[in-house]
Amino acid sequence: MNLTKSSNPVFGNSVFSKVQTGAQTDVMTIDGTVNKTGLMFLILAFAAAFTWRKFFGVYDYGSPEGAFSVVAPWLIGGGIGGFIVAIITVFAPRYSNITAPIYAVFEGLFLGGISAFFEAQYPGLVMRAVALTFGVFFIMLFLFRSGKIRATGKFRMAIMAATGGIALIYFISFIAGMFGASFGFLHGNSLFSIGFSLVVVAVAALNLILDFDFIQRGAAARAPKIMEWYGAFGLMVTLVWLYLEILRLLSKLASRD
């Protein structure tokens, strides 16, 4: 049973071998992973509420730009901190019971700030993005549990290639931005830009299928219990990506009104 195949970068090669310790008395379960995922969501929500309230505490008396400048240190710190902790977790999954909750804190600070900024520009946008994210999550879970979508080898390869291509486009756009260039189809509100965002949302959603499959196979293989935290962390990475892409898509649509 191969447990190394997933397009989610945190579910990379040999991750289980980094924590395998022989005979296991406490093993990974699906219920345990679900519980830890829920706990990480609570941590993320509390952290997001902090920067959200900080933003609107200033915005009520000023402009979106002024409020954004107040939460910018928290937002940037959360983004950078989340990235660093994610890298540490990938290379040291045996410590994911510590790093996964820390990742949730950092991502919450980041998401709270960026969500508040979008909400100030387009009232009601964030609640729609949250609802759609959870809606997509449960639809993908239903499709996976019912067997309507299976994580076959070809399916994994296709999603892996699509995810890698999107990551490459974003990376090139970031580098180009440092030299003053801009990829209009990433940030504009043209039909092509909206279509691109729809594709990215679809790829992020399909990554959930691979994540569910990875967690299910890890539980079936009686992986160490610490991997419940790692499985929750990997699922959180995909959901954060999905939410941000849905938020981006909705903002593009709202800007056309």
Side-chain angles (χ1 to χ4, degrees):
M1 182 177 296
N2 191 344
L3 295 171
T4 65
K5 298 292 186 179
S6 172
S7 65
N8 188 328
V10 308
F11 291 145
N13 293 334
S14 305
V15 62
F16 279 89
S17 65
K18 295 178 183 178
V19 295
Q20 198 68 38
T21 58
Q24 300 293 327
T25 55
D26 293 325
V27 297
M28 179 181 184
T29 66
I30 293 177
D31 287 343
T33 306
V34 170
N35 292 337
K36 290 172 176 60
T37 302
L39 179 58
M40 288 186 66
F41 267 115
L42 288 176
I43 295 172
L44 184 146
F46 278 114
F50 172 80
T51 44
W52 176 279
R53 292 175 179 174
K54 202 171 186 65
F55 178 95
F56 282 104
V58 176
Y59 175 67
D60 289 342
Y61 303 97
S63 64
E65 292 75 14
F68 184 78
S69 66
V70 172
V71 299
W74 296 96
L75 189 151
I76 295 172
I80 295 175
F83 177 77
I84 293 173
V85 174
I87 296 298
I88 294 173
T89 306
V90 169
F91 284 99
R94 65 176 61 88
Y95 301 115
S96 56
N97 62 325
I98 298 172
T99 57
I102 295 174
Y103 170 82
V105 172
F106 280 125
E107 285 302 303
L109 294 175
F110 172 77
L111 291 181
I114 200 71
S115 297
F117 184 71
F118 275 100
E119 181 69 13
Q121 297 181 80
Y122 310 108
L125 189 76
V126 169
M127 286 306 299
R128 292 196 295 273
V130 171
L132 283 173
T133 300
F134 279 105
V136 170
F137 172 81
F138 286 114
I139 289 172
M140 291 297 106
L141 181 59
F142 169 77
L143 293 174
F144 174 75
R145 293 295 296 273
S146 65
K148 296 184 182 299
I149 298 182
R150 298 183 182 276
T152 63
K154 290 182 178 179
F155 180 86
R156 290 192 189 96
M157 290 300 295
I159 300 305
M160 186 181 300
T163 303
I166 292 168
L168 180 61
I169 291 173
Y170 281 162
F171 178 74
I172 294 175
S173 174
F174 175 76
I175 297 299
M178 297 176 64
F179 295 93
S182 176
F183 287 12
F185 69 91
L186 288 180
H187 310 292
N189 61 357
S190 65
L191 291 178
F192 183 80
S193 179
I194 291 172
F196 177 80
S197 287
L198 282 170
V199 171
V200 176
V201 167
V203 172
L206 291 173
N207 266 274
L208 289 171
I209 298 294
L210 301 187
D211 297 343
F212 296 147
D213 178 68
F214 186 90
I215 292 169
Q216 183 181 70
R217 289 185 293 135
R222 297 176 63 81
K225 195 169 185 63
I226 193 70
M227 295 306 291
E228 292 177 352
W229 280 107
Y230 193 82
F233 160 73
L235 192 57
M236 181 70 70
V237 170
T238 301
L239 285 170
V240 167
W241 177 35
L242 177 63
Y243 168 74
L244 288 173
E245 294 300 342
I246 290 177
L247 193 65
R248 183 198 296 266
L249 172 61
L250 292 180
S251 69
K252 290 179 180 180
L253 293 172
S255 66
R256 290 176 62 90
D257 294 340

